[in-house]
């Protein structure tokens, strides 16, 4: 190939924005990448992380060939082998495990490293292959499941308003979300709303860069969001501005829920949330008298023991005020529920019913597993109880295969490593969870070395094992046609040919879009208010005040643990820090810049103290995303995150762990 061409693609990473990008290819090499200026949500801009994506694909530490372990587990010592050798060893080991222990002894552990529908987690890539083997199912619960469950209990779906309609909002609550770090393209629509008079309030235990840009910031205690929601509604009722007609026509359970609201006036909520009563009342007055009000509530606020209930109660706000009537009103959590691609994992291929293993219970559930197959994931860096995971991965009787692009913390424990393509090197189909567009990623360049895509790896392994089920060998384009072929009205006119030509297509939803103006996708067609006594579930931190609650927010330089090895982004991230309120630092005699152990019964990690009023009293914060091998002491914040479930959906509790801070020896 010679000359220069522009190739349309899409970012695969775990971010609501799922940007459309344009790759410039010259003489077969990708030489430039930019955000697609023609795509209405991307608007020509990528983030600080993805701006370095092409550099990342060409990094010196890229895994290019299959490898077999030669040293102890955890040593990261490997030798290069051929694909035939790798497939043969894997085939023999899988057959032996199935014969001796049954297919359920295999755990296909897939993460959010790619949100593709062909090669990533959204389409559950590889599931047909695992079904033929009778492997255990995998519950990908690490991100949003508690909130999804809570919102579905309320609305019948976790899908809500179109984020583009924030441009029409008059009051915008950014609730537990740091928009400028995690999904910054929404900010343009918020600014459009602001230019038309919208007032922006950030509700967050941390004064984030987004809170700095908001008109107000309310520093809420972690895990008390449902109480604030109830108190805001208390003010709405005291003002008599509830939408009686909407409540009567489109909701159920109002009598019990309105009685629950009466229990939480601002004075009571102030004691629980840590927000002054006058600030709660002021915001409540805005909610009572401002239409439309939009709430952006994302994944951070549901990562505690009461997370599902918190989202369900927040979802009740527009049900009471009637904001769901109005474009620019309602709750935006995830738009995934508006995506109706036809994902056929072929569960009919299972030889029998199999168990489901839970992603965030890796440390405790690996006991009964003989093969762990990791793809799109780096659990040693990203999953709860990383010390427990390490102990399991050190087992000699655990056959671990990792499909990866870089030598992550998890790769160090693999028996076989398989080199994986990156986004510019394969086709894929995408849909954002923060907008209403489908995007096509066209392969721009050939993979380096012997890297294979996820789907191609499973096709080759199926052939090597002598499997004959035809659907195991469907090509990427055949899979894309199947995904688009379900016949849902939102996909009318959306063809693969069109996507490949245009790069992106908005699904068939009106603009502006008020999804629940005329009812909800529940059996009754009504929003279901929380039952009596179930509108607030205290988090562990809220139940045991007085300690330090650790928050592990998203990093501005890493995306989960992706880019954790990028030299420039690591330089920008500097050494790990833990934000500590001045009063908490003084109580413990801590000094700014001092190296401390952040510890609890589960483990510890090291960080440098940054004394700051950006966190409230009783809250400490240290960003997630660092690889253990690049962290002081060989640990990151997940060493102190317990394997506990939220109230709904078996969601994790990354923001609901109490810790103590102790100076390191000599510091």
């Amino acid at each position: 190939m010679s000359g220069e061409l522009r190739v349309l693609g899409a970012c695969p990473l775990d971010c609501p924005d799922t940007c459309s990008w344009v790759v410039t290819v010259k003489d077969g090499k990708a030489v430039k990448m930019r955000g697609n200026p023609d795509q209405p949500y991307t608007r020509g801009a990528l983030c600080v992380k993805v701006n370095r994506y092409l550099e990342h694909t060409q990094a010196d530490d890229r895994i290019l060939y299959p490898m077999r372990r030669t040293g102890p587990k955890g040593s990261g010592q490997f030798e290069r082998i051929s694909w035939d050798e790798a497939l043969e060893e894997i085939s023999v080991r899988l057959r032996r495990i199935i014969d001796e222990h049954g297919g359920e002894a295999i755990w296909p552990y897939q993460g959010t490293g790619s949100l593709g529908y062909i090669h990533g987690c959204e389409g559950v890539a590889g599931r047909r292959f695992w079904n033929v083997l009778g492997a255990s199912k995998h519950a990908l619960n690490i991100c949003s499941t508690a909130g999804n469950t809570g919102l579905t209990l309320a609305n019948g779906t976790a899908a809500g308003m179109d984020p583009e309609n924030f441009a029409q909002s008059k009051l915008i609550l950014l609730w537990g979300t740091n928009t400028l770090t995690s999904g910054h393209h929404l900010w343009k629509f918020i600014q459009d709303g602001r230019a038309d008079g919208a007032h922006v309030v950030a509700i967050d235990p941390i004064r984030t860069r987004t809170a700095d840009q908001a008109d107000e910031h309310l520093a809420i205690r972690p895990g008390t969001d449902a109480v604030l929601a109830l108190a805001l509604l208390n003010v709405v009722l005291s003002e008599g501005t509830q939408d009686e007609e909407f409540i009567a026509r489109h909701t159920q359970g109002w009598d019990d829920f309105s009685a629950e609201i009466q229990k939480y006036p601002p004075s009571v909520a102030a004691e629980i949330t840590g927000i002054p009563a006058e600030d709660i009342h002021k915001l409540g007055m805005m909610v009572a008298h401002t239409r439309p009000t939009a709430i952006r509530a994302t994944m951070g606020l549901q990562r505690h023991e009461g997370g599902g209930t918190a989202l369900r109660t927040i979802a009740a706000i527009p049900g009471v005020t009637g904001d769901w009537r109005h474009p620019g009103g309602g709750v935006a959590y995830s738009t995934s529920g508006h995506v109706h691609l036809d994902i056929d994992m072929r569960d009919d291929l299972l030889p029998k019913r199999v168990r489901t293993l839970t992603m965030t219970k890796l440390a405790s559930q690996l006991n009964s597993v003989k093969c762990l197959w990791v793809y799109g994931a780096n659990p040693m860096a990203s999953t709860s109880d990383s010390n427990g995971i390490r102990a399991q991965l050190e087992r000699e009787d655990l056959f671990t295969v990792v499909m990866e692009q870089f030598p992550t913390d998890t790769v160090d424990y693999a028996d076989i490593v398989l080199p994986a393509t990156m986004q510019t090197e394969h086709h894929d189909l995408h849909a954002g969870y923060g907008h209403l567009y489908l995007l096509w990623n066209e392969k721009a360049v050939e993979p380096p070395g012997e890297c294979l895509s996820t789907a191609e790896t499973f096709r080759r392994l199926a052939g090597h094992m002598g499997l004959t089920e035809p659907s195991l060998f469907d090509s990427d384009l055949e899979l894309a046609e199947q995904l688009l072929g379900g016949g849902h009205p939102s996909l009318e006119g959306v063809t693969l040919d069109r996507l490949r030509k245009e790069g992106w297509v908005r699904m068939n939803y009106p603009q502006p879009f008020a999804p629940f103006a005329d009812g909800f996708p529940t059996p009754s067609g009504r929003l279901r208010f929380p039952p009596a006594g179930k509108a607030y579930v205290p988090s562990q931190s809220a139940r045991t005040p007085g300690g330090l609650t650790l928050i592990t927010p998203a990093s501005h330089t890493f995306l989960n643990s992706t880019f954790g090895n990028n030299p420039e982004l690591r330089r920008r991230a500097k050494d790990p820090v833990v934000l500590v309120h001045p009063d908490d630092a003084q109580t413990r005699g801590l000094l700014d810049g001092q190296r401390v152990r952040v510890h609890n019964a589960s483990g510890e990690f090291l960080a440098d103290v940054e004394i700051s009023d950006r966190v409230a009293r009783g809250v400490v914060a240290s960003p997630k995303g660092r690889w253990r091998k690049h962290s002081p002491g060989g640990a990151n914040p997940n060493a102190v995150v317990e394997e506990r479930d939220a109230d709904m959906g078996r969601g994790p509790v990354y923001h609901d762990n109490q810790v103590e801070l102790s100076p390191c020896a000599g510091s």
Side-chain angles (χ1 to χ4, degrees), residues 389-519:
I389 293 170
R390 180 185 61 200
Q392 288 284 355
L393 292 183
E394 288 174 343
R395 284 170 37 207
E396 285 297 332
D397 69 327
L398 179 67
F399 179 53
T400 302
V401 179
V402 180
M403 299 163 65
E404 250 298 349
Q405 301 151 354
F406 295 100
T408 65
D409 294 326
T410 306
V411 163
D412 288 347
Y413 292 84
D415 294 291
I416 298 289
V417 181
L418 301 177
T421 51
M422 296 181 70
Q423 187 74 347
T424 51
E425 300 154 8
H426 57 238
H427 299 310
D428 214 336
L429 179 62
H430 289 265
Y433 63 91
H435 57 62
L436 296 177
Y437 297 89
L438 296 180
L439 302 98
W440 177 255
N441 182 75
E442 187 76 12
K443 178 180 176 180
V445 295
E446 291 300 317
E450 296 178 2
C451 296
L452 295 181
S453 69
T454 299
E456 179 61 20
T457 297
F458 287 121
R459 285 191 286 260
R460 292 198 186 186
L461 182 55
H464 199 91
M465 295 184 70
L467 304 179
T468 58
E469 163 56 40
S471 67
L472 301 183
F473 303 97
D474 288 344
S475 70
D476 292 354
L477 297 184
E478 287 172 329
L479 291 169
E481 293 279 15
Q482 293 165 23
L483 287 160
L484 294 166
H488 192 272
S490 66
L491 300 178
E492 184 178 350
V494 182
T495 65
L496 180 57
D497 286 345
R498 181 183 174 192
L499 275 171
R500 295 188 73 180
K501 179 182 178 181
E502 300 177 18
W504 55 271
V505 175
R506 181 180 167 94
M507 292 178 286
N508 288 307
Y509 293 106
Q511 286 184 300
F513 182 37
F516 308 135
D518 299 313

Side-chain angles (χ1 to χ4, degrees), residues 174 177-181 187 200 202 207-214:
L174 301 177
T177 185
N178 184 5
T179 304
L180 289 173
T181 285
W187 192 253
V200 180
R207 195 171 75 247
T208 62
R209 63 180 62 218
T210 301
D212 282 339
Q213 297 299 317

Side-chain angles (χ1 to χ4, degrees), residues 157-437:
T157 175
M161 62 180 288
D162 180 354
E164 292 187 52
N165 291 160
F166 275 65
Q168 298 167 263
S169 307
K170 298 303 181 186
L171 175 62
I172 297 172
L173 308 185
L174 301 177
W175 203 321
T177 185
N178 184 5
T179 304
L180 289 173
T181 285
S182 301
H184 73 91
H185 292 81
L186 178 65
W187 192 253
K188 298 171 185 176
F189 298 96
I190 293 171
Q191 290 291 70
D192 290 344
R194 246 180 167 172
D196 200 28
H199 187 79
V200 180
V201 181
I203 302 167
D204 201 299
I206 307 170
R207 195 171 75 247
T208 62
R209 63 180 62 218
T210 301
D212 282 339
Q213 297 299 317
D215 297 305
E216 295 181 53
H217 169 228
L218 301 183
I220 192 169
R221 284 185 185 136
T224 63
D225 306 276
V227 172
L228 177 59
L230 291 164
L232 297 177
L233 289 175
N234 185 281
V235 178
V236 171
L237 294 191
S238 69
E239 289 292 293
T241 56
Q242 65 271 21
D243 189 328
E244 296 282 6
E245 195 269 342
F246 189 87
I247 291 169
R249 288 189 61 188
H250 297 304
T251 73
Q252 66 185 57
W254 174 240
D255 288 346
D256 285 344
F257 185 56
S258 59
E260 195 74 12
I261 291 169
Q262 300 293 349
K263 300 176 185 177
Y264 291 94
S267 58
V268 171
E271 292 295 318
I272 300 170
T273 65
I275 301 170
E278 57 269 27
D279 291 343
I280 296 174
H281 183 266
K282 177 184 173 184
L283 181 57
M285 291 291 287
M286 292 183 197
V287 172
H289 296 285
T290 310
R291 306 276 77 76
T293 289
I295 301 172
R296 176 64 163 175
T298 55
M299 289 69 200
L301 74 83
Q302 47 95 63
R303 290 177 179 150
H304 63 83
E305 282 192 12
T309 297
L311 261 297
R312 182 175 188 179
T313 302
I314 289 170
I317 294 175
V320 174
T321 62
D323 273 295
W324 284 121
R325 291 181 185 271
H326 311 292
V331 176
Y333 178 70
S334 168
T335 57
S336 294
H338 293 306
V339 180
H340 296 282
L341 296 174
D342 191 17
I343 303 169
D344 186 0
M345 294 178 285
R346 295 294 308 274
D347 281 352
D348 60 298
L349 299 176
L350 282 164
K352 65 180 182 66
R353 188 173 181 177
V354 298
R355 65 182 177 176
T356 298
L357 298 171
T358 305
M359 188 174 195
T360 54
K361 294 294 184 70
L362 183 61
S364 60
Q365 293 186 346
L366 264 177
N367 283 320
S368 60
V369 173
K370 297 299 180 182
C371 173
L372 178 69
W373 189 293
V374 180
Y375 54 123
N378 182 12
M380 276 295 295
S382 298
T383 304
S384 315
D385 190 10
S386 55
N387 290 330
I389 293 170
R390 180 185 61 200
Q392 288 284 355
L393 292 183
E394 288 174 343
R395 284 170 37 207
E396 285 297 332
D397 69 327
L398 179 67
F399 179 53
T400 302
V401 179
V402 180
M403 299 163 65
E404 250 298 349
Q405 301 151 354
F406 295 100
T408 65
D409 294 326
T410 306
V411 163
D412 288 347
Y413 292 84
D415 294 291
I416 298 289
V417 181
L418 301 177
T421 51
M422 296 181 70
Q423 187 74 347
T424 51
E425 300 154 8
H426 57 238
H427 299 310
D428 214 336
L429 179 62
H430 289 265
Y433 63 91
H435 57 62
L436 296 177
Y437 297 89

